[in-house]
Amino acid sequence: MNKILNVALISPSKNAYSETFIQMHRKGIEGNVVYYFNGDLPTKNNLENRLASNIYKLFFRIKKIFKFTQLTILEQSLKHSFKKHKIDIVVAEYGTTAAAVYNVCFNTKIPLLPIFHGFDASINHILETHKNKYEKIFNYSKYIVVVSNKIAETLITIGCLKNKIIITPCAPQNKFFDIKPNFKKNNFLAVGRFVDKKAPYYTILSFVKVLRKYPNAKLQLIGDGPLKNVCENLINYYKVSNNIKIIGAVKSKDIDSYFENSYSFLQHSVVANNGDSEGTPVSVLEASAAGLPVVSTKHGGISDVILNNKTGFLVDEHNVELMAEKICNLIEDKLLAKKMGQEGRAFVRKNFSYQNHISTINKAIKNSL
C-alpha cells in the first residue's frame, strides 16, 4: 500500500485573486496538503495562525546566539512546523519562494520541487540577486517545474540542467469548457492585472483605433493594479467611456458571465523595462477553453498555447496598429472568429487540461522523493 504523502505547498499570498492556479494546485495535489503562506518565507499555514509560539522563538534565539544552528529564527520556525506535520516534500510556488525556503529544506533533507511562473525567471534584479540561491536549487532539486518554454530556456541559460526541467503550463478550470460565447454582438474581453507586463494601455489604444471603424464595439477590462488610473485617464482622454469599461477585480466564481457575453479575448503582453515577463497567462488559456479567439502578442508562453492564425492572432509587442487590424478582422468575419474559438477550445482541451497539468505535478512530486 502506497504511503499517503504529507506535502507542504508554499505560496507568498494566501489567496490572491490573480493566482487561481495556486488554489487549483492546493486542491489537486495528492496527499495531505499543508498550505503555507504569508511571504516567500512563510509565517502561517492553514492549520496554524503562526508557525511558532513566543516560547519557541526564544528557544530558537538562544540556539542562534550559541551557534547551535545556522538557520534564522523564521527558518527555524518553519523547520519546526515541517517536523510537526511530518512533511515529506515541499512544493514552492515561484522560484523566489523556493530560494527563501531552500536552507530549511537542505537542513532537514526534505525534497524541494520549485514551480517557476514568470517574474521569478525574468525580472533582471531578481535574476541577479537570486543567482547563487537558484544555482543551489538547481543542484538540490531533482526536478524544476516551469510553465513555459521561454522560462525553460532562461533557466537553462543560468545553469539548470535541461533534463531536470518539466514544462507544464497552468491550466484553466474545467468550467470554462462549458461556456458558450456570444457571437451576436461585438463584445470583447480582457482579463489581467493592470501592470507593466500586461500593458493594458496598449489594449485600450488598439481598441480606440477599432472604434473609429466600428463605433458599436465594446470592451470590458477585468482586473486591478497600479496602472488602473492611467488606463482610466486614457479612456477619458479619448472619450470612449461608453465603449471601454474597467470592471475591476472579479472573483473567479463570478467571472463566467463576462466570458459568456463576449466573443473574443484581448491581451497585449510585453516585456517590462525591468525584464518582467509573463509565464503562460492562465486567462489566455481560459479564453481559449471558453471558445473565444484570442488576439495577443508573441510573448512569453502565449506562443505556446495560441496557434497564430488558427486559434487566434499574435502580433509583435507594441504593435498597436496590427492588433487593431486583427480585432477588426474578427468583427468582419464572425464565422472565422467562431472557427478560431472552436479550434482553440479543442487545442486547450487536448493539450492543456487541468487533468493533464495536475497529473504532471503529482508525478513530479512522486519522482522527486
Side-chain angles (χ1 to χ4, degrees), residues 65-316:
I65 291 172
F66 287 96
K67 299 183 179 179
F68 293 137
T69 178
Q70 296 298 313
L71 299 179
T72 66
I73 293 172
L74 284 179
E75 288 173 334
Q76 290 178 74
S77 298
L78 187 60
K79 176 183 176 180
H80 171 73
S81 181
F82 285 172
K83 184 177 180 180
K84 177 180 178 180
H85 298 293
K86 299 179 181 178
I87 296 300
D88 295 303
I89 185 169
V90 172
V91 178
E93 302 280 3
Y94 302 105
T96 46
T97 304
V101 302
Y102 164 78
N103 285 341
V104 180
C105 291
F106 182 80
N107 184 271
T108 56
K109 306 305 178 190
I110 296 176
L112 172 63
L113 179 66
I115 304 178
F116 282 78
H117 288 284
F119 79 87
D120 45 0
S122 61
I123 293 181
N124 298 328
H125 79 84
I126 287 180
L127 291 175
E128 292 168 5
T129 57
H130 287 69
K131 183 177 184 294
N132 292 335
K133 271 289 178 69
Y134 278 5
E135 288 176 355
K136 291 179 180 179
I137 291 169
F138 298 156
N139 288 328
Y140 182 75
S141 299
K142 283 188 178 180
Y143 294 101
I144 310 291
V145 175
V146 302
V147 300
S148 74
N149 285 298
K150 178 63 177 176
I151 295 176
E153 292 170 6
T154 299
L155 296 192
I156 291 169
T157 299
I158 61 176
C160 185
L161 294 177
K162 185 177 181 180
N163 61 6
K164 283 194 171 190
I165 294 177
I166 298 171
I167 303 172
T168 175
C170 292
Q173 298 177 62
N174 289 332
K175 67 177 183 177
F176 286 97
F177 291 106
D178 297 324
I179 288 175
K180 296 179 180 179
N182 183 355
F183 288 92
K184 294 180 180 179
K185 296 182 179 180
N186 295 330
N187 293 341
F188 293 79
L189 180 66
V191 180
R193 289 175 297 131
F194 284 66
V195 294
D196 285 340
K197 67 181 174 183
K198 294 188 183 292
Y201 46 85
Y202 277 147
T203 300
I204 291 170
L205 289 173
S206 295
F207 209 77
V208 167
K209 293 181 179 297
V210 171
L211 290 173
R212 293 171 184 168
K213 190 173 183 180
Y214 297 101
N216 67 333
K218 307 284 185 182
L219 169 63
Q220 291 184 312
L221 297 102
I222 292 176
D224 206 343
L227 295 179
K228 184 179 177 183
N229 286 342
V230 172
C231 291
E232 288 174 340
N233 289 339
L234 264 182
I235 292 169
N236 291 330
Y237 175 80
Y238 285 105
K239 297 180 173 58
V240 290
S241 58
N242 289 332
N243 299 84
I244 304 177
K245 296 188 181 298
I246 296 175
I247 307 301
V250 174
K251 292 181 179 178
S252 175
K253 65 182 181 64
D254 300 323
I255 207 167
D256 303 26
S257 61
Y258 292 96
F259 282 87
E260 289 170 347
N261 290 324
S262 306
Y263 87 96
S264 181
F265 185 89
L266 312 180
Q267 182 160 322
H268 197 112
S269 297
V270 301
V271 177
N273 287 339
N274 65 355
D276 192 11
S277 302
E278 302 272 16
T280 299
V282 177
S283 58
V284 169
L285 283 162
E286 290 171 345
S288 279
L292 276 65
V294 173
V295 182
S296 190
T297 49
K298 300 171 184 175
H299 171 93
I302 296 174
S303 298
D304 295 341
V305 298
I306 299 299
L307 303 178
N308 194 20
N309 297 316
K310 186 173 183 181
T311 67
F313 293 119
L314 298 179
V315 304
D316 290 334

